[in-house]
Structures are given as C-alpha cells and as structure tokens.
Amino acid sequence: MPQNEYIEESIKRHGRRLDHFERKRKREAREVHKNSQYAQKVHGLKAKMYNKKRHSEKIQMKKTIKQHDEKSAKQKDADAVPEGAVPAYLLDREGQQRAKVLSNMVKQKRKEKAGKWNVPLPKVRGIAEDEMFKVMKTGKSKSKSWKRLVTKATFVGEGFTRKPPKYERFVRPMALRFKKAHVTHPELAATFHLPIISVKKNPQSPLYSQLGVITKGTVIEVNVSELGLVTTGGKVVWGKYAQVTNNPENDGCINAVLLV
C-alpha cells in the first residue's frame, strides 16, 4: 500500500471520531461567512478571479434550481385541449399538461457524473501486490530488485512507447496487452468485439487504474460508435463504460458487460 494513504487506512480500521459529522456540518455552515469575509477583504487580480468563479457558481446553482422548479410545472399545450362541448367558463382556457423538462439526456449525464450504475459485479476479490507484480532482478548485483513485472492483462493505449530500461519501474509484457474486448449489451442480448479507449477504474487500487491493469470487476471505456447508439439530441454516442466479468489473464480475452 502507498505510504501516503495512512489516514484512509486508519479510517478503515478504527472508523471516524464520534463528532465527525457534527464538526463537518458546522464547518460547512461557517464556510459561507468565511467566503463573505474573504470576498470583502480580497482586492486586485485575485478579487477579479474570485468574483468570476462565484458568478459562474451562482449561475449554475440558479439553473439547477430552475430545472427542479420546472420539473413538475404546468405548461400550455394545444394538443391537450379537450374535444367536444366545453362549458362557457372554460372557453378562454388553453390546454395544460405537466411538463417533464428534465429530459433523459440530463438525467443520463447526472447519472454518469455520479457514477451510480447497476454494475454486474458489485463485489470483487481483492488481489495482493505479490500476486499482481512479480519481482524482477536487474543488473549484475543481486540486490537490485526494484523493478516489477505485471502479471495481469493490461491496456496501454495508442502510440505507447516504453521508457528506457534504466527508468522503467513497471514492465507490462506484450503478450498480456489487450486492445479489444468482447462487450455484451444487456438489453440487446448481443455481443460485440469493440476497441478499448481507456481503463476508467480498477477497484483494487488507483495504481492499477493508472497502469491500465485489467482484472475482474474493472470498469473500462469502449468505443461503441459502430453500434449506432444515439442520444436524445441525435448525437452519436462514442464512448461508453463496461465492466469486465472474467479473468483475462486466464482466458486470453476480455469479456465485459455494457453499463446502460
């Protein structure tokens, strides 16, 4: 485990202090006053930058509030006018219907930002570093053993060039590099052979995500342009996330399920 993650490790082992959430709530309540004091005190270029940032935040907040207000608002609609005889007191009224202004695209974007998909594999087996990396001894002296050979499947991206051997810490073998994955669309119930764009997240460790290591449960981004998926606005969807459902180093291929 990296040395700098001792705080996270302590939280995992012993939990947080009893008044943590109360302190957090109070800190957030005080934040408004702190920001106000800073805004009054700051001057010059810093003031311009700060005010510009606050201005954009306020605009975004107002837009969000407006969207939520409009979510169940009534809108005029000519199609909703009832047919046949209408009483005299309803003659001057136009048809109304409840508008769902928050479209599917906005919901989808919010969902993707939050990253809350129903993943096929919610739990995965933890992999120790001893299993993931094999110690490589280099040089004539037997003491030099700082290099590590990655024993799992990896993705390195287009135009990747290795570092010189003197500076290369992690070696990713050519035989275990993958460029394509077998991706199953759960609704279409069909499997496609799609190119991998990137490794989004490996649940084992941020280091494995950075190295592009693909193990069971890893979320990868695949190119779905050939599937012909389009958004509600009519734009072609280019990249989508999928979760790996097999052990690629054992099977020699990557099987994944599309997150929809």
Side-chain angles (χ1 to χ4, degrees):
M1 190 187 82
Q3 259 186 323
N4 62 343
E5 289 181 7
Y6 54 89
I7 294 173
E8 288 85 346
E9 187 64 24
S10 171
I11 290 166
K12 277 181 192 172
R13 283 182 184 168
H14 313 294
R16 296 184 183 276
R17 49 188 292 167
L18 297 172
D19 60 346
H20 168 76
F21 293 104
E22 183 63 18
R23 281 161 62 93
K24 191 180 175 186
R25 184 188 64 77
K26 286 183 177 177
R27 196 184 300 121
E28 284 171 3
R30 283 195 297 267
E31 201 69 36
V32 188
H33 301 288
K34 277 189 179 179
N35 290 346
S36 173
Q37 283 177 351
Y38 180 76
Q40 290 172 44
K41 189 176 71 175
V42 74
H43 58 86
L45 185 62
K46 280 189 178 178
K48 279 186 180 179
M49 288 164 68
Y50 182 76
N51 289 332
K52 190 179 178 183
K53 182 184 153 198
R54 284 290 296 137
H55 180 64
S56 60
E57 280 175 8
K58 281 179 182 176
I59 289 170
Q60 193 57 44
M61 191 165 59
K62 281 180 180 175
K63 279 183 181 175
T64 311
I65 291 166
K66 194 182 176 204
Q67 277 183 341
H68 282 282
D69 288 345
E70 286 178 349
K71 190 176 175 184
S72 58
K74 288 181 178 178
Q75 283 190 342
K76 291 176 181 177
D77 187 12
D79 298 335
V81 176
E83 290 180 7
V86 181
Y89 58 87
L90 291 178
L91 283 172
D92 59 339
R93 286 197 190 177
E94 291 180 9
Q96 285 185 339
Q97 68 172 10
R98 291 206 166 269
K100 285 280 181 184
V101 179
L102 286 176
S103 65
N104 289 339
M105 192 169 74
V106 175
K107 283 182 186 171
Q108 184 69 17
K109 276 189 179 176
R110 191 179 296 158
K111 202 174 179 182
E112 283 185 10
K113 201 170 260 186
K116 288 180 182 174
W117 298 282
N118 293 327
V119 287
L121 302 175
K123 290 183 181 178
V124 288
R125 180 183 71 88
I127 298 172
E129 286 199 0
D130 302 342
E131 190 184 338
M132 181 71 74
F133 302 125
K134 184 182 171 186
V135 177
M136 272 184 80
K137 293 195 174 179
T138 57
K140 289 178 182 175
S141 65
K142 291 179 181 177
S143 60
K144 286 186 181 177
S145 57
W146 51 272
K147 283 195 178 189
R148 296 289 178 270
L149 184 76
V150 180
T151 59
K152 305 287 178 188
T154 54
F155 171 77
V156 293
E158 284 295 320
F160 168 76
T161 50
R162 284 176 63 177
K163 286 181 182 176
K166 191 177 177 183
Y167 303 110
E168 193 175 32
R169 167 118 165 77
F170 296 102
V171 179
R172 289 169 281 189
M174 288 283 288
L176 285 170
R177 290 187 202 167
F178 288 85
K179 288 185 178 177
K180 289 197 168 188
H182 300 115
V183 181
T184 304
H185 196 297
E187 288 169 8
L188 299 175
T191 305
F192 306 92
H193 196 45
L194 303 175
I196 301 169
I197 299 170
S198 66
V199 174
K200 177 68 179 169
K201 181 160 186 175
N202 190 320
Q204 306 290 343
S205 160
L207 173 67
Y208 302 159
S209 306
Q210 196 179 337
L211 287 170
V213 177
I214 301 170
T215 54
K216 192 173 184 178
T218 304
V219 176
I220 56 173
E221 192 175 6
V222 289
N223 188 345
V224 292
S225 54
E226 63 185 64
L227 267 66
L229 301 173
V230 289
T231 61
T232 48
K235 290 181 181 177
V236 176
V237 178
W238 189 63
K240 255 190 160 332
Y241 296 135
Q243 191 183 33
V244 178
T245 54
N246 72 324
N247 293 312
E249 72 277 4
N250 294 346
D251 301 343
C253 67
I254 296 173
N255 299 336
V257 176
L258 206 66
L259 304 179
V260 288

